[in-house]
C-alpha cells in the first residue's frame, strides 16, 4: 500500500524556490531565467541571488509569480560560509530592498 505525505486534492503548483541570475553568480540575466522557467511550465520562481534582494514584480503574469528572495552568505571562521535562503514578497515601489556584502557583519 502506497502512502503519500500530502493530500491528493487541492491545487498543486510547479516552482523553484532557489535560483541565481547574473545579478550575482548565475549564468542568465533575470528576464532570460524567468522566461525559461515560464516556458518550461513552471507556475512560480524565486530569484535568490547572493546577498541582495531585487524587485522583480514586473515579471509577474496572470499565470506566473516571481518571488523576491536572497541567499545570505554568512561567514564564520577564516574560510567557511553558510548560506540561508529567504523568500519575500516586497513592496513594488522599493526596488532592491537590501544588500549586504559577504564580509559585512550580520
Amino acid at each position: 500500500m502506497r502512502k503519500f505525505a500530502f493530500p491528493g486534492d487541492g491545487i498543486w503548483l510547479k516552482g523553484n524556490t532557489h535560483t541565481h541570475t547574473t545579478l550575482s553568480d548565475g549564468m542568465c540575466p533575470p528576464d532570460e531565467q524567468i522566461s525559461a522557467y515560464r516556458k518550461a511550465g513552471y507556475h512560480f520562481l524565486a530569484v535568490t541571488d547572493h546577498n541582495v534582494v531585487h524587485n522583480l514584480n514586473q515579471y509577474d503574469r496572470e499565470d506566473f509569480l516571481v518571488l523576491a528572495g536572497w541567499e545570505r552568505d554568512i561567514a564564520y571562521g577564516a574560510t567557511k560560509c553558510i548560506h540561508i535562503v529567504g523568500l519575500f514578497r516586497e513592496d513594488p515601489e522599493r526596488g532592491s530592498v537590501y544588500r549586504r556584502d559577504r564580509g559585512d557583519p550580520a
Side-chain angles (χ1 to χ4, degrees), residues 31-88:
D31 59 335
E32 289 180 22
Q33 186 82 318
I34 292 164
S35 178
Y37 275 90
R38 286 185 70 221
K39 288 178 184 172
Y42 282 69
H43 299 102
F44 67 90
L45 178 65
V47 176
T48 54
D49 284 307
H50 288 275
N51 303 310
V52 62
V53 178
H54 294 281
N55 181 338
L56 300 172
N57 295 342
Q58 71 267 28
Y59 297 107
D60 285 350
R61 301 290 179 266
E62 187 68 31
D63 63 342
F64 192 83
L65 176 68
V66 179
L67 295 169
W70 74 346
E71 182 174 359
R72 175 73 170 100
D73 299 341
I74 301 173
Y76 68 96
T79 60
K80 297 183 180 177
C81 180
I82 61 171
H83 297 169
I84 298 174
V85 173
L87 304 179
F88 310 95

